[in-house]
């Protein structure tokens, strides 16, 4: 085989509970991940040495300017890990076609890393007697970042610890989403730092986060209205503090009848849940008309994780 292409979804955090800062600098998280049908495509092909190229996917308006095209790209790091594990040289050209907003709070870099793990394993491993199982790739993913294991698995899952210890969640049916992207990204570490700053200024000790029962019930029963009401992101106040204009985006979606709205992960992408597919279409069109966002995107979830195409 000389080239393998893998399609990998973006995620939205349905619940992002952020606990107190730990001694190692990380926070304990409760993270309900949900994979949505907004995909990057990563192709790994034989090459004389490690090469990386990044382009916006056809019809996508993603700004790929800030994405590294050297060993700093998370997909290149993933290729290096797979090569080391299999005892081969990482002689691979990695081509990334991005539709997931960069630094948008939808884990695009982690998604590309997950896709590269799957693509390189298929490229180099013995297909009849593979040394690497999907569980091994999930474990390798955790070495690259706490969002990577979920991008390998997809679906809907609850992550605890730094977010990387995953349990699949029971869901019913399909949920219909509208995403509003923004010009320029937000740095995830900066948003966590702002969250810590706000809590310290308020003299507020963060509680240990727990999974929302209302959210799990809504997922299990396919109740979009219930899910909309239960969406929660402890990083939202920090993202709004760093980017106050996001408040107008969230308000616009709620005024237009969204069943729920929240900042996705560390932002600045805003996510809106609609009750039906038809509602999602109307909401997307109306939001687009307000001009509050760089781009309005529609997606459905849950969808499977990184998969060879
Ligand atoms: P998260 O939701 O996991 O916090 P994000 O969606 O906010 O992440 P990413 O798109 O993953 O942010 O990008 C964060 C930074 O990671 C980028 O600014 C870029 O410098 C770096 N990066 C490394 N590899 C990639 C990649 N393959 N795609 C995008 N960004 C990458």
């Amino acid at each position: 085989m000389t080239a393998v292409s893998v399609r990998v979804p973006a995620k939205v955090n349905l619940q992002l509970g952020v606990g107190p800062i730990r001694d190692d600098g990380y926070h304990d998280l409760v993270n309900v991940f949900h994979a949505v049908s907004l995909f990057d495509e990563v192709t790994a092909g034989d090459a004389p040495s490690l090469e990386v190229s990044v382009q916006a996917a056809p019809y996508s308006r993603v700004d790929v300017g800030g994405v590294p095209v050297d060993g700093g790209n998370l997909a290149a790091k993933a290729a290096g890990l797979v090569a080391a594990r299999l005892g081969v040289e990482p002689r691979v050209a990695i081509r990334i076609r991005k539709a997931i907003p960069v630094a948008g709070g939808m884990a695009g870099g982690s998604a590309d890393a997950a896709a590269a793990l799957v693509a390189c394993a298929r490229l180099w491993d013995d297909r009849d007697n593979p040394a690497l199982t999907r569980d091994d790739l999930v474990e390798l993913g955790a070495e690259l970042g706490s969002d990577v294991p979920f991008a390998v698995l997809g679906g809907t899952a609850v992550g605890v610890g730094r977010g990387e210890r995953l349990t699949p969640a029971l869901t019913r049916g399909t949920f219909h989403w509208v995403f509003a992207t923004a010009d320029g990204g937000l740095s995830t570490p900066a948003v966590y730092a702002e969250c810590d700053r706000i809590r310290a200024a308020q003299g507020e000790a963060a509680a240990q986060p727990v999974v929302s029962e209302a959210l799990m019930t809504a997922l299990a029963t396919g109740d979009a209205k219930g899910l909309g009401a239960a969406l929660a992101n402890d990083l939202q106040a920090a993202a709004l503090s760093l980017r106050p204009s996001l408040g107008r985006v969230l308000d616009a979606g709620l005024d237009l009848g969204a069943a729920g709205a929240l900042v996705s992960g560390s932002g600045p992408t805003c996510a809106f849940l609609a009750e039906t597919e038809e509602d999602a279409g109307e909401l997307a069109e109306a939001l687009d008309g307000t001009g509050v966002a760089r781009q309005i995107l529609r997606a459905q979830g849950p969808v499977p994780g990184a998969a060879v195409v």
Side-chain angles (χ1 to χ4, degrees):
M1 194 166 307
T2 54
V4 180
S5 290
V6 169
R7 200 171 80 140
V8 65
K11 61 86 184 158
V12 56
N13 306 78
L14 305 178
Q15 181 190 355
L16 181 43
V18 181
I21 192 159
R22 307 190 310 202
D23 290 343
D24 63 4
Y26 289 100
H27 297 79
D28 270 319
L29 302 179
V30 160
N31 210 335
V32 183
F33 295 103
H34 182 69
V36 294
S37 60
L38 193 62
F39 299 101
D40 279 1
E41 192 169 303
V42 175
T43 301
D46 290 334
S49 60
L50 181 67
E51 298 161 18
V52 181
S53 64
V54 182
Q55 277 179 294
Y59 310 111
S60 151
R61 284 170 28 204
V62 171
D63 177 3
V64 298
V67 181
V69 286
D70 55 17
N73 193 294
L74 279 174
K77 292 185 181 171
L81 269 186
V82 175
R85 183 60 76 91
L86 293 175
V88 300
E89 288 297 319
R91 293 199 190 100
V92 61
I94 294 177
R95 192 189 73 177
I96 303 174
R97 293 284 181 104
K98 290 200 75 73
I100 305 175
V102 174
M106 299 192 79
S110 302
D112 296 345
L117 289 173
V118 172
C120 290
R122 176 61 73 90
L123 193 65
W124 296 323
D125 207 352
D126 179 351
R127 264 194 94 177
D128 297 325
N129 188 19
L132 292 172
T133 63
R134 192 154 276 250
D135 281 350
D136 293 327
L137 297 181
V138 169
E139 231 180 274
L140 282 181
E143 293 180 31
L144 292 162
S146 46
D147 287 352
V148 181
F150 175 71
V152 176
L153 291 175
T156 305
V158 180
V160 294
R162 279 163 46 200
E164 80 289 7
R165 295 202 310 271
L166 294 171
T167 312
L170 185 66
T171 65
R172 184 177 183 152
T174 296
F175 295 99
H176 302 279
W177 295 93
V178 175
F179 293 97
T181 73
D183 284 319
L186 272 176
S187 141
T188 304
V191 175
Y192 273 98
E194 180 66 2
C195 176
D196 292 335
R197 190 195 66 76
I198 292 171
R199 285 175 171 177
Q202 292 173 342
E204 195 187 294
Q208 210 57 35
V210 288
V211 179
S212 157
E213 295 243 349
L215 187 98
M216 298 320 275
T217 304
L219 282 172
T221 55
D223 171 11
K225 213 169 174 171
L227 182 60
L231 296 172
N233 180 358
D234 283 354
L235 290 180
Q236 184 159 308
L240 289 175
S241 164
L242 295 175
R243 192 72 73 83
S245 58
L246 296 181
R248 286 197 295 280
V249 183
L250 293 173
D251 287 346
L254 289 170
D255 288 348
L256 289 165
L262 86 174
V263 169
S264 179
S266 53
T269 305
C270 291
F272 303 93
L273 185 63
E275 280 188 55
T276 64
E277 189 168 6
E278 195 186 356
D279 287 351
E282 286 172 10
L283 176 61
E285 200 170 317
L287 257 179
D288 210 11
T290 65
V292 290
R294 170 184 169 86
Q295 197 179 5
I296 301 296
L297 303 166
R298 282 182 60 186
Q300 299 185 342
V303 293
V308 174
V309 287

